Amino acid sequence: MARNINALYTDVCDRSRRIALITSIESTLYWDQSVYLPPQGGDYRAEQTAYISGLTHECWTDQRFGDELEELVGSELAADPDSDSAVVIRKLKRARDKKTKLSQTLVEELTRASILGQQAWQEAKRASDYAKFQPHLEKMIALKREQAQAIGYTDALYDALLDDYEPETKTAEANAVLVELRKQLVPLVANISESKKKSPHEIVCRRFPEAAQATFVVEAAKAMGFNFDAGRLDVTEHPFCTTMGPKDCRITTHYYENHFNAAFFGVLHEAGHGLYEQGLKAENFGLPVGEAVSLGIHESQSRLWENFVGRGLPFWRHFFPAAQMAFSEALGNVALDDFYFAVNDSRPSLIRIEADEATYNLHILIRFELEQDLLGGALTTTDLPGAWNEKYEKYLGVRPKNDAEGALQDVHWSAGLIGYFPTYSLGNLYAAQFFDQAKKDLGDLDERFAKGDFSTLREWLRENIHKHGQRYSAAELARRVTGRPLSPEPLMRHLNDKFGALYGF
Amino acid sequence: MARNINALYTDVCDRSRRIALITSIESTLYWDQSVYLPPQGGDYRAEQTAYISGLTHECWTDQRFGDELEELVGSELAADPDSDSAVVIRKLKRARDKKTKLSQTLVEELTRASILGQQAWQEAKRASDYAKFQPHLEKMIALKREQAQAIGYTDALYDALLDDYEPETKTAEANAVLVELRKQLVPLVANISESKKKSPHEIVCRRFPEAAQATFVVEAAKAMGFNFDAGRLDVTEHPFCTTMGPKDCRITTHYYENHFNAAFFGVLHEAGHGLYEQGLKAENFGLPVGEAVSLGIHESQSRLWENFVGRGLPFWRHFFPAAQMAFSEALGNVALDDFYFAVNDSRPSLIRIEADEATYNLHILIRFELEQDLLGGALTTTDLPGAWNEKYEKYLGVRPKNDAEGALQDVHWSAGLIGYFPTYSLGNLYAAQFFDQAKKDLGDLDERFAKGDFSTLREWLRENIHKHGQRYSAAELARRVTGRPLSPEPLMRHLNDKFGALYGF
């Protein structure tokens, strides 16, 4: 019996929206767990989450869903590749195909390895004893190879993993821009290190009362355009942004009374993610045309607001007087230029999450290179700590004293997140290239920022990036918005100009 | 094929636990909605909640669940009525039978009438225009009669509705104690009204800074034994207590800077509910042996802590010095006896939720009498406001000036909660009778409270009431714990003694 194609398409959309609904409930459980769950509530929360995950899995793997997508892929609804229906059909089929390629056994093994791996990693990091973690990493690498084989790839095993976070971007493409970025970053960082000029960094390490930080940063997030009627800001240990519905986006932060930068730029970062989520079309919630393109594009939105707007001098021309009022004890007698240099202190360091704008990408590139070598077999898990330390010495000129601040630093590998790291740097590259284009399209943004006008930029991002959802791949989106493929040039130009001026080279 | 009875029982327990798991997720969504949901998040939250409710409904109505319970009811696992397995089988069968007796159409009509009824009630109350609400109440009464017919009853239609909130308690039993209670309360309240002694009530209406209230009340809840490692206290518009897992019980409150009583006794009340939830056996979570008996028994626990402990002089012998420190501006120069009289101010009033310990039950008994008459046909919805006002005049000696403070006062009827009101007063009677017994069993509780020892009472409640879950019906539990059936005598004795001493009669 011939089925009506439109009815099929409606059913497929309903399924996609139902998956999003269930996922949004899981996000609510996760948000509560991170922000308010009582200490003893964790075990049952895990049961609740496992149950909800199981529901999502059932929805994805339903055979009728697959049959319907198969039929739709060849229909006229998929003919114009940029149409809503074609995007929905193509992206859902792609996502479902990937999910059904992994056996139930492999999924369960990966889940177990991730849980055990994270436990072992925590202990190993606490004891700074890499040997405790090494067998778990060995196991994880083997499972991720198996996963990549099951998914399939053309050039590199790594392609299949990268695709989970940066869909349709190939390892070779990422390497092309990121290796070039590394080559240009190393001499920039060396220049900063060797500069005689030093940032008056202690200014941002004075006392910034938590309540005043909270009020001040909400004002900044509102000025960016984060909609607090459709979102919240709460306090958590490890800040994040999560979406619990088309009009419910939650960001979090962590205040440190003796460090202004952490919460302030952290909130600009999360609010940048939040603006992307709030800029997706609400009526498309739960469909690929209403969802973010990739982690790289998502990160471009957070980094653009955090670094290109928030760490810029024009932003502070507007906000510094208010900051002086809010933190009169710390900033009352500080000059704007000194404050600007203080928030932009740059120096080679060992810890990724504390790294500044200039050095940050080298931390990422080290991880990206190492995880490719681990997966491809050029590097054994036993040799990882040594390789890590050598790259830190070579690229940043610093060497970890122990593995806790070396190869055990991040949770990602223990949790099976391999292929995730490069999206941070791709995000920085996309941010620079988008911001460059925005300035070309909108004229003098510096002057607008200095006047407190951030809505012009926000609307440009909404119009050019947010509203498309997954209509275009990340690479295609960059080409359409900026007229050229992704390149390290805009980011390097920005960094060389900014840090050259600050550090005098 | 003969099935193994133990395997059947295990399956039935798994189903019960799964229903509890899904319900706990719904509670999480509800809690978040009441406490933190951004204003625009409501529509999607309704979709999430409807989806989760649907899952619970599917679990309950699964025919295999019914077949398994049918088989178990006649098995040896149900032989000893007080055994865990017999309780689980009996209570689940009872609950499932009730759910399956209602047609899908009736359930949907009730849901719709409740939503529309609450909207109409809100508007009617705002305009103090009963006519706007009357057709909705008429419709609701008709549907509740239909519900009662579908469920079935032996004596009164009302039995079938009361059973939803106070299972296994008959209308005649409730009337026997509550009519007698009313007869004895009316003269007590008249004595208080006519007394020349007046409470120095303004003391508790001075300025009590919110932050100080929050700190102080948490200390009181901790002293009661509310476990904040397995629970939380947050701020909401309409305070409640909800359980989101065996180790996750959340209570809420609302602070008023110019009224000490509201939040303080409100938190003791909710923490009393919370202690019951935390006193149920965690390993029985999701099974009837791990769940509360009835709303009346639940309310007995909240009222016991709120009124019999918290509004007592011994409690304040311990806490008043700390209160004077916390609220030095308001209480620094106040004598303990004056403060005690101030928190126990009693006077006939129109608003139930603001009523004091002595007058409160008359508010309930008015509603209980009226809803029985509405359901039985002795009173029309058109005549309700007049009947309401007459009863207020007759029992409390006050008369509403308009329907907003009269028949439109509470949300319950608009939401279809008919049969709910009497559980408040049953709770007060159970509280008095349990507290009486605790004093007999434990000796001088006054002295313990004055020393800050509340754990002796808490452990007694845990041992005698909480740990049994639904093993015994409410009436049976009262008989077992106190050696006699529920009676108005302990409550009236308590009220006459306390208010006689305060008001000098």
Side-chain angles (χ1 to χ4, degrees):
Chain A
M1 189 183 81
R3 303 252 329 251
N4 180 304
I5 282 293
N6 286 318
L8 269 190
Y9 179 67
T10 302
D11 191 61
V12 152
C13 289
D14 287 347
R15 288 169 183 272
S16 180
R17 290 191 198 269
R18 191 173 322 123
I19 290 170
L21 183 84
I22 305 170
T23 306
S24 75
I25 295 171
E26 190 172 347
S27 300
T28 307
L29 296 174
Y30 172 76
W31 174 85
D32 179 72
Q33 177 176 343
S34 309
V35 179
Y36 293 117
L37 190 74
Q40 294 179 11
D43 290 348
Y44 200 69
R45 179 55 46 90
E47 286 188 46
Q48 293 170 323
T49 304
Y51 171 76
I52 291 283
S53 292
L55 291 180
T56 325
H57 183 75
E58 275 174 36
C59 291
W60 273 114
T61 53
D62 185 341
Q63 188 52 50
R64 268 194 58 199
F65 192 20
D67 295 344
E68 291 176 353
L69 284 168
E70 196 66 57
E71 201 170 335
L72 284 166
V73 148
S75 76
E76 74 265 26
L77 288 175
D80 170 8
D82 291 349
S83 70
D84 276 19
S85 57
V87 173
V88 167
I89 294 164
R90 182 172 75 240
K91 292 287 177 174
L92 287 176
K93 179 149 174 35
R94 197 175 195 281
R96 190 179 178 281
D97 285 352
K98 280 187 78 173
K99 279 180 203 293
T100 50
K101 277 179 184 168
L102 301 184
S103 71
Q104 191 56 31
T105 319
L106 181 56
V107 170
E108 284 167 14
E109 279 196 85
L110 279 163
T111 306
R112 195 173 323 120
S114 167
I115 293 167
L116 297 174
Q118 288 177 70
Q119 285 171 355
W121 167 76
Q122 276 189 337
E123 286 173 38
K125 186 174 178 180
R126 204 176 302 123
S128 194
D129 181 358
Y130 177 78
K132 282 189 178 153
F133 175 56
Q134 183 271 332
H136 291 271
L137 182 58
E138 186 72 30
K139 171 81 182 165
M140 184 57 84
I141 296 290
L143 286 172
K144 296 305 278 190
R145 281 187 192 131
E146 212 180 307
Q147 177 184 338
Q149 296 290 0
I151 297 289
Y153 57 92
T154 41
D155 301 325
L157 260 176
Y158 193 88
D159 282 350
L161 304 183
L162 178 61
D163 194 83
D164 275 354
Y165 313 104
E166 203 61 24
E168 302 177 51
T169 293
K170 298 287 172 221
T171 313
E173 293 167 327
N175 267 315
V177 286
L178 296 178
V179 168
E180 183 56 32
L181 176 66
R182 191 247 295 157
K183 286 184 185 158
Q184 298 184 32
L185 271 177
V186 171
L188 167 69
V189 169
N191 280 339
I192 293 171
S193 299
E194 288 155 17
S195 167
K196 294 225 168 51
K197 288 187 73 177
K198 295 292 165 208
S199 153
H201 182 57
E202 66 77 25
I203 291 170
V204 291
C205 301
R206 295 174 182 173
R207 194 170 156 272
F208 294 83
E210 183 172 324
Q213 283 193 57
T215 308
F216 185 66
V217 79
V218 162
E219 287 311 307
K222 280 184 183 165
M224 283 169 60
F226 183 80
N227 180 0
F228 281 91
D229 283 338
R232 293 183 51 84
L233 169 64
D234 293 270
V235 172
T236 187
E237 187 61 32
H238 303 290
F240 63 92
C241 167
T242 189
T243 286
M244 286 153 60
K247 300 283 178 68
D248 188 1
C249 175
R250 315 240 178 142
I251 59 175
T252 65
T253 192
H254 192 111
Y255 298 102
Y256 297 88
E257 291 228 325
N258 293 307
H259 196 210
F260 173 78
N261 288 7
F264 187 80
F265 294 108
V267 169
L268 296 201
H269 180 99
E270 301 305 339
H273 282 304
L275 282 182
Y276 187 9
E277 293 288 314
Q278 293 185 334
L280 294 163
K281 289 187 178 173
E283 67 268 30
N284 287 339
F285 187 83
L287 298 177
V289 281
E291 284 166 2
V293 180
S294 70
L295 290 192
I297 297 298
H298 227 309
E299 190 76 1
S300 77
Q301 300 307 294
S302 58
R303 292 297 182 180
L304 191 150
W305 287 100
E306 176 194 357
N307 289 339
F308 292 83
V309 181
R311 290 188 204 263
L313 192 54
F315 179 91
W316 290 106
R317 285 200 199 286
H318 175 68
F319 273 108
F320 192 61
Q324 285 187 303
M325 301 259 282
F327 312 107
S328 53
E329 191 191 316
L331 304 180
N333 297 317
V334 171
L336 171 60
D337 284 347
D338 288 336
F339 179 75
Y340 169 66
F341 200 179
V343 300
N344 282 295
D345 175 56
S346 175
R347 63 183 84 187
S349 66
L350 292 165
I351 308 299
R352 176 182 64 87
I353 61 165
E354 297 167 5
D356 59 83
E357 195 183 347
T359 58
Y360 184 84
N361 290 296
L362 286 176
H363 293 263
I364 296 303
L365 299 174
I366 288 169
R367 288 152 175 81
F368 178 45
E369 291 174 9
L370 290 171
E371 66 183 17
Q372 288 184 78
D373 285 350
L374 284 168
L375 205 76
L379 177 66
T380 67
T381 56
T382 317
D383 293 338
L384 173 68
W388 177 291
N389 295 350
E390 268 168 49
K391 282 188 192 280
Y392 263 82
E393 181 117 43
K394 194 167 153 199
Y395 299 159
L396 283 152
V398 292
R399 195 176 181 95
K401 290 185 301 295
N402 57 54
D403 291 335
E405 56 181 34
L408 290 172
Q409 190 175 123
D410 299 302
V411 69
H412 300 59
W413 290 337
S414 74
L417 300 175
I418 294 172
Y420 191 115
F421 278 123
T423 70
Y424 292 117
S425 284
L426 291 171
N428 282 319
L429 295 180
Y430 283 122
Q433 196 156 324
F434 289 146
F435 192 64
D436 222 34
Q437 188 64 37
K439 286 191 287 189
K440 283 177 198 157
D441 289 356
L442 300 171
D444 194 348
L445 279 176
D446 286 1
E447 202 177 313
R448 290 183 189 273
F449 294 167
K451 285 183 189 154
D453 166 12
F454 304 98
S455 63
T456 307
L457 173 63
R458 183 187 69 245
E459 291 308 312
W460 184 91
L461 292 168
R462 206 152 266 184
E463 192 58 28
N464 286 279
I465 296 163
H466 304 172
K467 76 166 190 189
H468 297 306
Q470 297 182 354
R471 193 174 312 278
Y472 313 114
S473 71
E476 166 86 9
L477 184 67
R479 262 192 307 272
R480 283 184 171 254
V481 175
T482 69
R484 52 181 176 156
L486 185 65
S487 141
E489 188 273 328
L491 178 62
M492 285 311 305
R493 181 160 34 85
H494 161 79
L495 293 176
N496 281 318
D497 287 355
K498 175 173 182 174
F499 290 92
L502 283 168
Y503 284 91
F505 54 81
Chain B
M1 189 182 80
R3 304 249 334 246
N4 180 302
I5 283 293
N6 287 317
L8 269 190
Y9 180 67
T10 303
D11 191 58
V12 152
C13 289
D14 287 348
R15 287 170 185 272
S16 180
R17 289 191 198 271
R18 194 174 317 125
I19 290 169
L21 183 84
I22 304 171
T23 307
S24 74
I25 295 171
E26 192 173 344
S27 301
T28 308
L29 296 175
Y30 173 74
W31 174 86
D32 179 72
Q33 179 177 341
S34 311
V35 180
Y36 294 117
L37 189 73
Q40 293 178 14
D43 290 346
Y44 200 69
R45 178 55 47 88
E47 286 189 45
Q48 294 171 322
T49 304
Y51 172 76
I52 290 283
S53 292
L55 291 180
T56 326
H57 183 74
E58 275 175 36
C59 291
W60 273 115
T61 52
D62 185 340
Q63 188 51 50
R64 269 194 57 199
F65 191 18
D67 295 344
E68 290 176 355
L69 285 167
E70 197 65 57
E71 200 169 337
L72 285 165
V73 148
S75 76
E76 74 264 26
L77 286 175
D80 170 7
D82 292 349
S83 69
D84 276 20
S85 58
V87 173
V88 167
I89 294 163
R90 183 171 73 241
K91 294 287 180 175
L92 288 177
K93 179 150 177 25
R94 196 175 194 285
R96 190 180 178 283
D97 285 352
K98 281 187 76 172
K99 279 179 202 294
T100 50
K101 277 180 183 167
L102 302 184
S103 70
Q104 190 56 31
T105 318
L106 181 57
V107 170
E108 283 167 15
E109 279 195 85
L110 279 162
T111 305
R112 197 175 320 120
S114 166
I115 293 167
L116 296 176
Q118 288 177 73
Q119 285 171 357
W121 167 77
Q122 277 189 337
E123 285 173 38
K125 185 173 178 180
R126 205 176 300 121
S128 192
D129 181 357
Y130 178 78
K132 280 189 179 155
F133 176 55
Q134 184 270 334
H136 291 273
L137 182 58
E138 186 71 30
K139 171 81 182 166
M140 183 57 84
I141 297 289
L143 287 172
K144 297 305 281 189
R145 282 190 192 128
E146 211 180 310
Q147 178 183 338
Q149 295 290 2
I151 297 290
Y153 58 90
T154 42
D155 301 325
L157 260 175
Y158 193 87
D159 282 351
L161 304 183
L162 179 61
D163 195 84
D164 275 354
Y165 312 106
E166 204 59 25
E168 300 178 53
T169 294
K170 298 286 172 224
T171 312
E173 294 168 327
N175 267 317
V177 287
L178 295 179
V179 169
E180 183 56 33
L181 176 66
R182 192 244 297 155
K183 288 183 185 157
Q184 299 184 33
L185 271 178
V186 170
L188 167 68
V189 169
N191 281 338
I192 293 172
S193 298
E194 289 153 16
S195 166
K196 296 222 170 51
K197 289 188 70 177
K198 296 292 165 210
S199 153
H201 183 56
E202 66 77 25
I203 290 170
V204 291
C205 301
R206 296 175 182 173
R207 196 172 154 273
F208 294 83
E210 181 171 327
Q213 284 193 57
T215 309
F216 185 66
V217 79
V218 163
E219 286 312 307
K222 280 183 184 165
M224 285 168 60
F226 184 81
N227 181 0
F228 282 91
D229 283 339
R232 295 182 51 83
L233 170 63
D234 293 270
V235 172
T236 187
E237 187 61 32
H238 304 288
F240 62 93
C241 167
T242 189
T243 285
M244 286 152 58
K247 301 283 178 66
D248 188 0
C249 175
R250 314 239 177 144
I251 59 176
T252 63
T253 193
H254 193 111
Y255 298 102
Y256 298 88
E257 291 229 324
N258 292 308
H259 197 212
F260 173 77
N261 289 7
F264 187 79
F265 294 108
V267 169
L268 297 200
H269 180 98
E270 301 306 337
H273 282 304
L275 282 181
Y276 188 10
E277 293 288 314
Q278 292 185 336
L280 294 163
K281 288 187 177 172
E283 67 268 30
N284 288 340
F285 187 84
L287 299 177
V289 282
E291 285 167 2
V293 179
S294 70
L295 289 193
I297 297 298
H298 227 308
E299 190 75 0
S300 78
Q301 300 307 294
S302 58
R303 292 295 181 179
L304 192 149
W305 287 100
E306 177 193 355
N307 289 338
F308 293 82
V309 181
R311 289 187 205 262
L313 192 55
F315 179 91
W316 290 107
R317 286 201 198 287
H318 175 68
F319 273 109
F320 191 60
Q324 287 188 300
M325 301 260 283
F327 312 107
S328 54
E329 191 191 313
L331 303 180
N333 296 318
V334 172
L336 171 58
D337 284 345
D338 289 335
F339 179 75
Y340 168 66
F341 200 0
V343 300
N344 283 295
D345 175 56
S346 175
R347 64 183 82 186
S349 66
L350 292 165
I351 308 300
R352 176 182 63 87
I353 60 166
E354 295 167 7
D356 59 84
E357 197 182 348
T359 57
Y360 184 84
N361 291 296
L362 286 176
H363 293 265
I364 297 302
L365 299 174
I366 288 169
R367 287 153 177 79
F368 178 45
E369 292 173 8
L370 291 171
E371 67 183 15
Q372 288 183 79
D373 286 348
L374 282 170
L375 205 73
L379 177 66
T380 67
T381 55
T382 315
D383 293 337
L384 174 67
W388 176 291
N389 294 350
E390 269 168 48
K391 283 189 192 278
Y392 262 82
E393 182 118 42
K394 191 167 154 199
Y395 300 160
L396 283 153
V398 290
R399 194 177 182 92
K401 288 186 300 299
N402 56 54
D403 293 333
E405 58 182 33
L408 289 173
Q409 190 175 124
D410 300 303
V411 70
H412 299 62
W413 291 335
S414 74
L417 300 175
I418 295 174
Y420 191 114
F421 278 124
T423 68
Y424 291 119
S425 283
L426 291 171
N428 282 319
L429 294 180
Y430 284 122
Q433 196 156 321
F434 290 146
F435 192 64
D436 222 33
Q437 188 62 38
K439 285 191 290 191
K440 286 179 194 151
D441 289 359
L442 299 171
D444 193 350
L445 279 176
D446 285 0
E447 203 175 313
R448 289 183 189 275
F449 293 168
K451 285 182 187 154
D453 166 13
F454 303 98
S455 64
T456 307
L457 173 64
R458 184 187 67 244
E459 290 308 311
W460 185 91
L461 293 168
R462 206 156 266 184
E463 192 58 27
N464 286 279
I465 295 163
H466 305 172
K467 78 167 189 191
H468 297 305
Q470 298 182 353
R471 192 174 314 278
Y472 313 115
S473 71
E476 166 86 9
L477 184 68
R479 264 192 304 275
R480 284 185 170 252
V481 175
T482 69
R484 51 179 177 157
L486 185 64
S487 140
E489 187 273 325
L491 178 62
M492 285 312 306
R493 178 160 35 83
H494 162 79
L495 293 176
N496 281 317
D497 288 355
K498 176 172 180 175
F499 289 92
L502 283 169
Y503 283 91
F505 55 83

